Amino acid sequence: MTDTPSAMQIDAALVRQLAELLDESKLTEIEVQDGERRIRVARSVTVAAQAAPVAANVAAPIAATLEAPSALDNTNAIKSPMVGTVYLSSEPGAKPFAGVGDTVSEGQTLVIIEAMKVMNPILATRSGKVSRVCVQNGQPVEYDQPLIVID
């Protein structure tokens, strides 16, 4: 690293936190941006290949309960503003914030996304009726991934 004004200063603690988030959430990569500074942390392909049997066991029940992604209309979806782990209720065993058929109001909490050990409430951007919940409790989510469809 050089001492030129345009050289990027690496925050080692942030890189460690991002790596820990990858481990905790079972994601393969994460990228954060702060102004012109952008940091991307990714797992090697061999790690992802080792996790494939676990993913296959989890994918089967999900596929059975959700429609094929190509058949889904996400036009009215509330999407994830970040990478993290989604929770459908405030605590294990509690009633979900919103379920299919529920009427929600603008500003109402729909889910919580845990990112870097911070719980972030995701709010409804409009009022309406929940037609589909696109994620499962405890599932890792990516940026811009559909969470809940409100019609």
Side-chain angles (χ1 to χ4, degrees):
M1 188 163 27
T2 65
D3 291 332
T4 61
S6 63
M8 176 186 253
Q9 300 297 315
I10 302 298
D11 182 350
L14 176 60
V15 173
R16 278 189 207 95
Q17 285 179 326
L18 292 173
E20 288 173 9
L21 180 61
L22 282 178
D23 288 338
E24 292 170 3
S25 63
K26 309 282 191 268
L27 295 172
T28 55
E29 67 180 73
I30 188 170
E31 183 174 337
V32 294
Q33 183 173 351
D34 180 20
E36 294 295 317
R37 183 174 78 161
R38 180 179 291 178
I39 298 173
R40 180 176 173 268
V41 178
R43 293 181 191 269
S44 66
V45 175
T46 56
V47 172
Q50 291 172 349
V54 172
N57 291 339
V58 172
I62 293 173
T65 59
L66 298 177
E67 299 173 35
S70 60
L72 302 178
D73 178 17
N74 294 325
T75 305
N76 296 322
I78 304 299
K79 296 183 179 181
S80 177
M82 65 190 69
V83 173
T85 302
V86 67
Y87 297 103
L88 302 178
S89 60
S90 58
E91 60 185 39
K95 182 179 183 269
F97 293 113
V100 175
D102 290 351
T103 300
V104 296
S105 303
E106 183 175 347
Q108 179 178 336
T109 300
L110 299 174
V111 298
I112 294 174
I113 296 181
E114 179 184 8
M116 297 182 71
K117 302 190 191 262
V118 175
M119 299 298 185
N120 302 282
I122 306 304
L123 309 178
T125 55
R126 64 187 163 281
S127 297
K129 187 174 182 179
V130 175
S131 63
R132 188 163 33 98
V133 177
C134 306
V135 292
Q136 292 187 341
N137 194 52
Q139 173 185 337
V141 293
E142 300 286 338
Y143 172 77
D144 211 31
Q145 179 176 340
L147 302 171
I148 292 183
V149 177
I150 300 175
D151 289 325

